[in-house]
Amino acid sequence: QVQLKESGGGLVQAGGSLRLSCAASGSTFSINGMGWYRQAPGKQRELVAVIGSGESTNYADSVKGRFTISRDSAKNTVYLQMNSLKPEDTAVYFCNVKWKRTTWATLVYSDWGQGTQVTVSS
């Protein structure tokens, strides 16, 4: 199992910025990809942004041009820079990691962080 430690959430006014961080740790693992998802009250969890092992990225349409996902492979850490925040971005943000026991393994595991609250006031 891979443990994820998230940080960086908080309260910000509309138009402001926040940066989320998520560090993965464990005994032995190879990361396929990392990403951020969010869940607002009464809504399903949705993808925000993901980054693959080849640094390919994918964003939800609602955050394109405002959010940037990046990764420090040496630190097994993924970041989400959130700019021009809107009240509708308010949610609990969850970090996710897709990993394998070795680089040549075929079985991919998935683990989630505990979530960090992001609140954007209008």
Side-chain angles (χ1 to χ4, degrees), residues 7-26:
S7 61
L11 173 64
V12 65
Q13 288 189 332
S17 298
L18 283 174
R19 188 191 193 210
L20 305 183
S21 299
C22 174
S25 63

Side-chain angles (χ1 to χ4, degrees), residues 4 34 52 58:
L4 299 172
M34 300 184 77
N58 187 34

Side-chain angles (χ1 to χ4, degrees), residues 10-117:
L11 173 64
V12 65
Q13 288 189 332
S17 298
L18 283 174
R19 188 191 193 210
L20 305 183
S21 299
C22 174
S25 63
S27 55
T28 304
F29 60 97
S30 174
I31 293 179
N32 268 24
M34 300 184 77
W36 291 93
Y37 294 72
R38 67 186 181 187
Q39 187 167 17
K43 295 188 177 181
Q44 290 187 332
R45 190 173 298 187
E46 63 177 4
L47 179 147
V48 177
V50 292
I51 184 166
S53 56
E55 306 303 312
S56 61
T57 58
N58 187 34
Y59 294 90
D61 288 341
S62 59
V63 307
K64 283 180 180 177
R66 300 187 299 122
F67 292 9
T68 301
I69 190 169
S70 60
R71 176 175 160 183
D72 185 335
S73 297
K75 297 181 179 179
N76 289 328
T77 299
V78 65
Y79 306 96
L80 185 68
Q81 178 66 44
M82 304 185 293
N83 298 329
S84 302
L85 282 161
K86 304 175 180 179
E88 50 263 43
D89 294 318
T90 295
V92 178
Y93 284 68
F94 296 90
C95 178
N96 175 262
V97 61
K98 301 288 193 299
W99 61 277
K100 301 187 293 185
R101 295 198 182 280
T102 62
T103 54
W104 57 85
T106 56
L107 184 59
V108 179
Y109 298 88
S110 177
D111 280 305
W112 293 89
Q114 80 284 357
T116 185
Q117 178 70 46

